[in-house]
Amino acid sequence: MTADLTIVAIYADLLGTYGDNGNLTTLLHRARLHGLTTDVISIQPGDPVPSQADIYLLGGGEDTAQTAACAALRADGNIRTAAENGAAILAICAGYQLLGEYFPDSTGARSPGLELLDIRTDRLPQRAVGELAAEPISPSQSTGSTDSNQWPVFSGRFTGYENHAGGTARGPSVRPLGRVLSGIGNGDGTEGSVSGHIIGSYLHGPCLVRNPEIADQLLGWAVDRELPALEEHSVNELRAERFRTVLGH
Ligand code: GLN
């Protein structure tokens, strides 16, 4: 029997800082709660990237690991095919930056990215380290979006932890994931990027543990239907504690 969806965990050894590999665990957990069966393919650099899977996960990493991961993904080429076929991609921090046009390498020079997202990353004036909180931006509030039907609608705030030296500028085809309430995010008052079925974000934590609504969006894209909201008490407690601590409410 084939599973409802296939998830590819990309280079978890290279790109998995600050617990980002927990995003896979959460995705599997949320899929189970929604009654969806899953297959997982974990790949390392040099392994072929499957082009027909439903969800691809990329985590954060140090500058050198980020450049190496980007080179391996470019040499393979299949992540572009997958994205063009409508696969969902969640990319955190280094993974997020490498989907753009360029990002700073360990010397600060611009290293070419995969150009799957219309974003560019340069060094921030100072490293962003600490808790990050953001609120969703409704499609009508965001600049550059022409068709509000294509954008996912998030209702809850976003919580996570950030640790990065790069700040990210978006082109017109990319919508921010949220507006920063505390922390740095992209560096311009926004956090993350959404374009098609790609979500890029600076939220570690891991992101999907703290923000299961994003996990459900990825799963919903994968099975092509909206999934019902499923509240988990422990997650609600965690989120409430983080927002209380970071925002004071
Ligand atoms: N190397 C990137 C930066 O410092 C990403 C860091 C990370 O993934 N945490 O901006």
Side-chain angles (χ1 to χ4, degrees):
M1 198 186 104
T2 55
D4 294 316
L5 59 111
T6 301
I7 303 167
V8 181
I10 298 179
Y11 310 162
D13 294 347
L14 213 49
L15 298 177
T17 48
Y18 316 119
D20 288 343
N21 296 334
N23 287 328
L24 173 62
T25 313
T26 307
L27 213 45
L28 296 176
H29 171 69
R30 295 295 296 187
R32 246 188 330 268
L33 290 182
H34 287 290
L36 298 169
T37 57
T38 44
D39 277 340
V40 176
I41 303 173
S42 295
I43 56 163
Q44 300 301 335
D47 295 341
V49 179
S51 61
Q52 302 297 327
D54 301 288
I55 303 178
Y56 294 74
L57 297 175
L58 289 156
E62 302 308 325
D63 294 345
T64 317
Q66 178 175 356
T67 308
C70 187
L73 287 170
R74 179 180 299 96
D76 176 90
N78 273 347
I79 193 164
R80 170 171 298 281
T81 310
E84 286 169 359
N85 288 339
I89 301 177
L90 175 71
I92 306 297
C93 207
Y96 169 34
Q97 295 175 1
L98 68 76
L99 294 185
E101 186 186 336
Y102 58 78
F103 59 87
D105 69 12
S106 57
T107 70
R110 286 177 175 172
S111 187
L114 299 178
E115 297 191 42
L116 294 183
L117 271 180
D118 182 15
I119 58 165
R120 282 145 284 276
T121 300
D122 285 298
R123 285 252 195 271
L124 287 164
Q126 86 188 52
R127 195 172 182 89
V129 184
E131 286 290 312
L132 174 57
E135 62 183 1
I137 299 178
S138 74
S140 58
Q141 292 172 292
S142 105
T143 53
S145 72
T146 47
D147 176 7
S148 59
N149 292 327
Q150 70 180 296
W151 303 109
V153 178
F154 294 104
S155 55
R157 292 177 294 187
F158 304 109
T159 165
Y161 169 80
E162 64 183 333
N163 189 341
H164 53 104
T168 299
R170 292 176 322 280
S173 65
V174 175
R175 195 189 123 201
L177 180 65
R179 180 182 299 102
V180 171
L181 298 170
S182 179
I184 305 297
N186 290 327
D188 63 355
T190 67
E191 154 48 24
S193 288
V194 184
S195 176
H197 291 177
I198 302 178
I199 297 178
S201 173
Y202 280 108
L203 296 164
H204 299 283
C207 176
L208 298 185
V209 170
R210 293 207 201 182
N211 306 282
E213 204 184 354
I214 299 178
D216 288 359
Q217 179 62 74
L218 297 167
L219 294 169
W221 279 331
V223 297
D224 204 18
R225 66 185 156 90
E226 203 169 313
L227 299 175
L230 279 178
E231 299 284 326
E232 289 186 275
H233 180 68
S234 55
V235 175
N236 289 346
E237 297 248 292
L238 167 71
R239 288 171 54 80
E241 186 278 330
R242 284 292 81 200
F243 289 124
R244 234 181 359 257
T245 303
V246 176
L247 302 175
H249 56 90

